[in-house]
Every structure is written in structure tokens, then in C-alpha cells.
Amino acid sequence: MVFPTSDEAVLAVRYEDVRAILGSASFSVEALRLGHADADLALARDAPPRLVGSLMNSDPPDHTRLRRLVAGLFTPARIENLRPRAVRLANDLIDDMGTPPIDFIEAFSEPFSAHLILDLLGTPENGREELVRHFDGFTFTSSLTLAERARKAQEFNRHVIALLMRARSAGSVKGLVGALADARGGDGKLSEEELHGLIYAIVTVGHGTAVATLTRAACTLLRHPDQFDRLAAFSAHVPSAVEELLRLDIPGEGGQPRVATENVDLPSGAIHRGELVLPSIASANRDEKHFPDPDAFDILRSPNPHMTFGYGHHYCLGASLARMQLQVMVGQLVERVPTLRLAVPAGELLYTNDGATRGLTSLPVAFDALRPTTTDDNGTAERTTK
């Protein structure tokens, strides 16, 4: 394959090849930023400065050090503690949907993701409005130019860092804000450049990609009304349905370009030192050797060993958060809005290609009367499933 920069790359599409690339230390994502002696890549020369120091674009040992600073805040147990808050938030948003038809992105996906990210960050309540004002620059629906988005990112980073330092000075640090403030203000483990990179990566991936994923998942369910109705009748299938949504409809190819730092023999052939490789997780997730009838949407598919969250040391830090968000969204929609449906023919839906993310520009939906919420004081759904 050939990138728009004219760089040639090997496109890996088979499950075994993609897994081998993702799990190998012989392929470097950092080389795209720093360059490689055997790979003169325009893609590397044109790399945006904002990505410097981020988890997505670093290799061990820097990647290991940066990931260790924040990994404890993304454990399954910590994310599970957010579930009651997510259920309450989802129900509030459903209650406020208004008169249909509505745009599901504006009414649900964007505010649901934004507020959960701010909760995870642990940002102080005062100042959140200013942060939310910048969030539109991090989503695929943004009308901003690339230059405007870059300025938006710089403004966002400056505002978050100011909040970090004020919170640390006041002794009120918590969540990811606290972890980053301590790391930056402590023994110098986190540089200014790395602080900017981490914040940008967490928000762009944690929010921008989440909005695209939530919206595409809702759209896929509504394009298969029989499966949606099945979930409304048997909500115990929601976790399995979420895994199938993650497998079938990720908002992009899912893999980052890498440079081979030595000769590597993959199951499908040899890769030479200096070659650029793009592992396509989207293609691997449809490999018929691992997924019978791979193009079918089957909410009961088992086993479902998809690689949507990657593999190896770059396994997605926010995997537990993404799963929880999708489970809550799907669970509350089939519980509260069982008549949810597309308000336009599926063929009229428009997609945008925002770099590595391909999301819907809008998702018009309609529905009849909402069902009342049935949650306990902890925000946990009380409905009995079959």
C-alpha cells in the first residue's frame, strides 16, 4: 500500500500476522517520529509535534515508564467503580433526549463520553465548563481545520495543566489529574513535553474515539433491529453483544504504522529491516480462520478473540473504560428506549474520514415513549434478565 505521503508500506491483514507485529519488539512506532537509519519516511518528517511524548507514539522503555504513571487509574476494578455514575448519566441523557427525531451524537454520545472522561481525569468541578468548550476540537464531527484543531489542542493542554498545578498547590489532587500533577511536580519523572502528549492522547483517544465508537455501535444495532429486539428481551446478552460490536465496527483500521528495526519472519512472509508496516486490526477481526461468517453481526458469537484493543505492550490502556461505556449505553438503550430506530434510511447516513477515525457525521434517531428507569441508589440496573 502507499500512504498519501508516497511512503510505501506492507499492509498486514491476517490475524496471525497482525498479532505477531503488535506483540513484537522488532517493530517501532517511535521510529516514525525519530526516523530510522534504514527508513527515510516522509511520514516521519511530517509527524505532528503534538504527538511527541504520547503513549501511542513511544516504545519501551519510555512507553513503559509513561504507562506506569497512569495505568493504575484504568484498572478494571477502578473503571467498575465508575459504572454507577455512568448508568445515572446515561439515564439523565435519555430523559433529556427531547422530541424525536434527534441527533444521537449530540444528545448522547458526546456528553456521555465527555463527562466520564472528566470524571476519570478527576478535574475540579469549577473549570469544567472551560474544558468542555474545547472538546469539539477532538471529535470527528468537528468542522475545525487542522490548524484550528492544533490551536484548540494547545489551548486545552494549557488549561488542563493550569488546573493540574492549582489542584496540586491546593492539595486537592485526585484521579488522573492528581497522578499527572504529582508526576510533573515531583521528582521530574514527567517532562513538560510528555505531560502535553499524555493529556492530548488521553482526551483524543478517550473522548474522540469513544464518541465515534459509541455512535457506530448504536448505528449497527439499529441497522439490525432483530438483534436490538433480542437484547431488549434478553439483556443478559449485552456483554456478548458489546464484544461483537467491538469486533465488527471499529472506527478505523485500528493499527499504527510501524518500522521494522530488524528482519522479521511473519507467518505470511518476511519483513525487512527498515520496512514500514501497517497492521490492520479491522481486517484481522474479520479473518475467517478465527471468525466464521466474519461479516455477520452475531451478538452471541463465541469465542470472539477480537484484537480491537490491540495486543502486546501497546494494548489499549482504556479497554476497560470502553467496554464499560458500551455496556452501559447498550444496556440502558434496550431497557429505556426499546423502540429506538433510525430516523433516515441507512443509505443516507454520512461518514467522515478524520485521520485514523471514520465516524458518522450525525445519527438521526426516533423513538416512542421512554420507559422509566429502574436503578437502585448506586445506579445499578435492577431489571431481572432471562
Side-chain angles (χ1 to χ4, degrees):
M1 64 167 289
V2 180
F3 280 93
T5 57
S6 298
D7 292 311
E8 294 185 1
V10 176
L11 179 65
V13 298
R14 289 297 184 185
Y15 190 94
E16 287 81 4
D17 292 325
V18 171
R19 183 182 172 98
I21 292 168
L22 297 179
S24 173
S26 299
F27 294 93
S28 168
V29 295
E30 195 169 272
L32 289 178
R33 176 169 62 89
L34 301 179
H36 191 276
D38 297 305
D40 182 21
L41 302 172
L43 200 63
R45 295 193 296 271
D46 296 340
R50 69 187 184 198
L51 295 180
V52 174
S54 79
L55 284 170
M56 297 181 296
N57 294 273
S58 59
D59 297 326
D62 281 345
H63 178 273
T64 306
R65 173 178 57 84
L66 293 171
R67 188 181 180 104
R68 188 178 293 123
L69 291 174
V70 295
L73 296 166
F74 289 89
T75 63
R78 282 184 175 267
I79 296 302
E80 194 60 27
N81 288 337
L82 274 177
R83 186 181 293 267
R85 156 66 172 158
V87 171
R88 290 192 295 270
L89 176 59
N91 278 316
D92 289 344
L93 293 171
I94 289 171
D95 288 336
D96 293 339
M97 276 183 172
T99 304
I102 62 165
D103 179 8
F104 187 80
I105 298 175
E106 182 179 333
F108 190 94
S109 299
E110 287 186 342
F112 184 64
S113 171
H115 283 286
L116 288 179
I117 285 294
L118 291 175
D119 287 341
L120 188 67
L121 286 172
T123 51
E125 289 296 331
N126 54 346
R128 279 195 175 195
E129 297 79 8
E130 182 70 12
L131 289 175
V132 172
R133 187 174 65 83
H134 293 286
F135 264 59
D136 67 321
F138 299 105
T139 63
F140 58 90
T141 57
S142 174
S143 60
L144 300 178
T145 66
L146 289 176
E148 289 170 337
R149 291 188 192 192
R151 286 196 299 272
K152 201 85 163 179
Q154 292 173 352
E155 292 173 9
F156 183 88
N157 277 354
R158 283 195 296 268
H159 190 73
V160 171
I161 290 169
L163 285 176
L164 289 173
M165 295 304 112
R166 286 202 300 269
R168 188 175 189 278
S169 298
S172 60
V173 293
K174 59 180 181 177
L176 188 57
V177 164
L180 294 178
D182 286 341
R184 174 61 185 148
D187 59 8
K189 290 184 294 184
L190 191 66
S191 70
E192 183 78 13
E193 184 179 62
E194 290 167 340
L195 177 60
H196 281 265
L198 275 172
I199 293 170
Y200 184 84
I202 288 167
V203 174
T204 53
V205 176
H207 177 62
T209 305
V211 171
T213 302
L214 290 164
T215 305
R216 288 181 64 120
C219 181
T220 297
L221 280 173
L222 298 182
R223 293 180 68 173
H224 298 83
D226 58 327
Q227 303 274 15
F228 187 85
D229 292 345
R230 191 175 190 180
L231 285 173
F234 303 99
S235 57
H237 297 325
V238 166
S240 174
V242 164
E243 295 308 309
E244 181 70 341
L245 289 166
L246 285 167
R247 177 192 75 85
L248 191 63
D249 208 18
I250 62 176
E253 287 298 316
Q256 288 179 273
R258 289 159 163 79
V259 174
T261 58
E262 60 184 355
N263 295 335
V264 181
D265 289 323
L266 295 178
S268 295
I271 300 294
H272 301 291
R273 175 184 169 92
E275 277 194 286
L276 183 63
V277 178
L278 178 64
S280 174
I281 293 175
S283 295
N285 282 351
R286 292 174 184 255
D287 189 330
E288 62 274 8
K289 288 176 61 178
H290 294 268
F291 306 98
D293 196 7
D295 293 330
F297 176 55
D298 179 6
I299 64 172
L300 298 182
R301 184 181 295 274
S302 181
N304 194 343
H306 65 78
M307 286 192 289
T308 295
F309 295 120
Y311 181 74
H313 58 260
H314 276 283
Y315 183 81
C316 179
L317 188 66
S320 294
L321 177 62
R323 278 194 170 98
M324 185 272 286
Q325 287 177 314
L326 282 167
Q327 289 170 4
V328 169
M329 181 193 76
V330 173
Q332 296 312 114
L333 288 179
V334 299
E335 171 74 24
R336 300 282 318 280
V337 205
T339 59
L340 191 67
R341 57 193 179 273
L342 293 176
V344 298
E348 294 182 10
L349 296 173
L350 299 178
Y351 291 81
T352 182
N353 188 3
D354 178 23
T357 303
R358 185 171 182 264
L360 286 155
T361 58
S362 66
L363 182 60
V365 298
F367 52 88
D368 300 330
L370 302 175
R371 285 183 178 175
T373 181
T374 54
T375 57
D376 61 23
D377 291 339
N378 291 319
T380 305
E382 293 180 330
R383 184 183 180 191
T384 301
T385 58
K386 298 182 179 180

